[in-house]
Amino acid sequence: MSRFEPNTIFGTASAVLSAVSAAPKSNAAPTQPRQLSAAAQALTEEHYEPAYSPIVLAGLVRAIEVALVVAVGFTVYVCYVVPGHGFAWYYFAAIFGIALLAMLAFQVADIYQVQAFRGHEKQYMRLASAWSVVFLIAIGVSFFAKAGDQFSRAWLGAFYVLGLFALIAFRRGLFLLVRRWTQEGRLDRRTVVVGCDSNGESLIRSLAAQRDSDVHIIGAFDDRGDERSPTSCAGVPKLGTVDDLVSFARATRVDLVIFSLPISAEGRILQMLKKLWVLPVDIRLSAHTNKLRYRPRSYSYVGNVPVLDVFDKPIADWDVVMKWLFDKIVGSLALVCALPIMAVVAIAIKLESRGPVLFKQKRYGFNNELIEIYKFRSMYTDQADATASKLVTANDPRVTRVGRFIRKTSLDELPQLFNVVFAGNLSLVGPRPHALQAKAEDRLYDEAVDGYFARHRVKPGLTGWAQIHGWRGETNSQEKIQQRVEHDLHYIENWSILLDLYIVAQTPFALLRTENAY
């Protein structure tokens, strides 16, 4: 058998992007959604809860259990040791050491998996065994360090018994919570399979046969017409073509897309990736029927099924938590600092012209969802253009005198801090959201730039990578919107908290360049 790395075909995500961009052009996500089949439409109308990340859940369980162990050890120390023996600093070192050692022992015992949280009996046996090993290690260390006589045996025994009881009680409560979340679908990965041939049927059966799998297959799609593919695949309904999948994923939650096509169908796969890479989903290529022998490190796994990673969600798991905290903390500080300026701007707007101070506008947000953002009104009320069908130009008569100033300085955008901090539909940093009918050279943005909707794979932002590089203000040419989109995609592919901090720090300097801001 020949051996080679799958990267020779697909490479990293950036290499696939290059291959996709070289494919024949087509609009990846039309402004008007496609008409879905009855089965697909029924799924989009079903109620579903937002997903919780298993990785974040496992991390929180680790933190809670460490805190729980520390709390038990400290409580026994305060209630028993302090009254009889007074304060001793080395108890604190022992408590924190046992807590950290317990976390490592539970990790080795493999009980930080969602499958373990579901309450199987082996979880409690493994927990008790690992907890016992921790105390055997602690006793051994104190013996060889000749420090055994410095610790109370009653404290150690009570710490062991009460700690075990507290951990088991916590795990039982966690089991009830996880069971409820599982029933609600919060811990499932809503999955679709692309390919309704024999490979697709084999893949679906393999995934369905796995115990405690978080994969919930909601449908299958095929790029061929109905006359060449069945209406169902291994009992899973066929919901449409790959073009329909884009609209379907816009209308309901899809977490994972798995291609069941063989690697030999590289041309078909690239054509389909050209349409799907604009979606904020994980995309995998199944290798379960592949006869080539890959090295184990070449694979990741969906349950027991080997897959090749093609695309990942740009921001997932702990990155989502970090970005949420960044938005709330930094955004709140920015809002507090901006309130006096916002008050002055509001008074100036009210004094110059009639009408409301704030202007609300519908724009495209994450995954093409429509969001409503706030701005200071910069136009006369009777000439406001909510859809931005006509771009503002230099000396535009629709813009007030105060409006010209706040648009040039971007002070009109300050109310969007309320979107960031309270509504949560904007991020502090991200691709700027565009109005629904915004155009460049009389063409809608998604018509002017192929793959335009890929910038909606993350939440839009108040400022961004494009803005600090001078691509703000008027977009009256295809080159300007093309440059914006390319900078936005660069940001998405290279996101980090440090990059967000850098963009926030550079934004005030970028606002000094006002040549394109009208």
Side-chain angles (χ1 to χ4, degrees), residues 352 377-386 388-405 407-408 473-476 515-518:
E352 184 186 17
R377 179 175 60 85
S378 59
M379 295 184 179
Y380 294 102
T381 303
D382 59 345
Q383 299 183 57
D385 183 6
S389 56
K390 180 182 177 183
L391 291 178
V392 175
T393 58
N395 301 316
D396 197 313
R398 298 174 298 168
V399 180
T400 66
R401 287 175 299 173
V402 171
R404 289 193 183 93
F405 176 75
R407 291 178 72 92
K408 269 193 173 295
E474 186 182 22
T475 52
N476 58 350
E515 58 271 13
N516 290 322
Y518 304 127

Side-chain angles (χ1 to χ4, degrees), residues 199-393:
N199 289 334
E201 292 183 349
S202 174
L203 172 63
I204 291 172
R205 291 194 182 98
S206 297
L207 293 171
Q210 297 181 37
R211 184 171 178 262
D212 291 326
S213 174
D214 64 345
V215 174
H216 175 207
I217 301 176
I218 58 177
F221 291 82
D222 199 292
D223 61 324
R224 300 170 299 174
D226 290 335
E227 69 278 0
R228 289 189 294 162
S229 63
T231 57
S232 66
C233 187
V236 173
K238 179 189 172 186
L239 302 179
T241 65
V242 175
D243 288 321
D244 297 320
L245 174 52
V246 176
S247 295
F248 180 74
R250 300 292 194 201
T252 189
R253 195 188 101 212
V254 175
D255 302 308
L256 177 63
V257 174
I258 305 179
F259 283 82
S260 67
L261 304 177
I263 290 178
S264 58
E266 180 179 354
R268 285 175 62 197
I269 293 171
L270 287 175
Q271 285 297 324
M272 286 185 277
L273 286 177
K274 175 65 179 67
K275 302 169 184 176
L276 298 181
W277 75 285
V278 300
L279 296 174
V281 300
D282 294 330
I283 299 179
R284 303 288 183 260
L285 175 62
S286 171
H288 75 293
T289 59
N290 196 352
K291 296 180 181 179
L292 295 170
R293 293 181 180 272
Y294 288 172
R295 298 175 186 172
R297 69 181 182 182
S298 302
Y299 298 116
S300 61
Y301 288 85
V302 177
N304 296 323
V305 175
V307 295
L308 303 177
D309 297 350
V310 182
F311 288 113
D312 289 317
K313 292 179 183 177
I315 302 176
D317 301 321
W318 281 109
D319 288 342
V320 174
V321 177
M322 295 298 294
K323 192 161 180 61
W324 183 87
L325 289 173
F326 178 85
D327 287 341
K328 298 305 178 186
I329 295 172
V330 180
S332 296
L333 292 174
L335 180 59
V336 170
C337 294
L339 282 176
I341 301 174
M342 293 171 68
V344 173
V345 172
I347 293 171
I349 291 172
K350 202 66 180 174
L351 290 175
E352 184 186 17
S353 61
R354 290 184 181 182
V357 170
L358 293 180
F359 174 71
K360 294 188 293 185
Q361 189 178 54
K362 296 283 188 182
R363 296 194 176 188
Y364 284 117
F366 173 71
N367 200 22
N368 273 31
E369 294 176 357
L370 288 181
I371 62 173
E372 191 170 63
I373 68 164
Y374 299 97
K375 298 181 67 173
F376 279 125
R377 179 175 60 85
S378 59
M379 295 184 179
Y380 294 102
T381 303
D382 59 345
Q383 299 183 57
D385 183 6
T387 63
S389 56
K390 180 182 177 183
L391 291 178
V392 175
T393 58

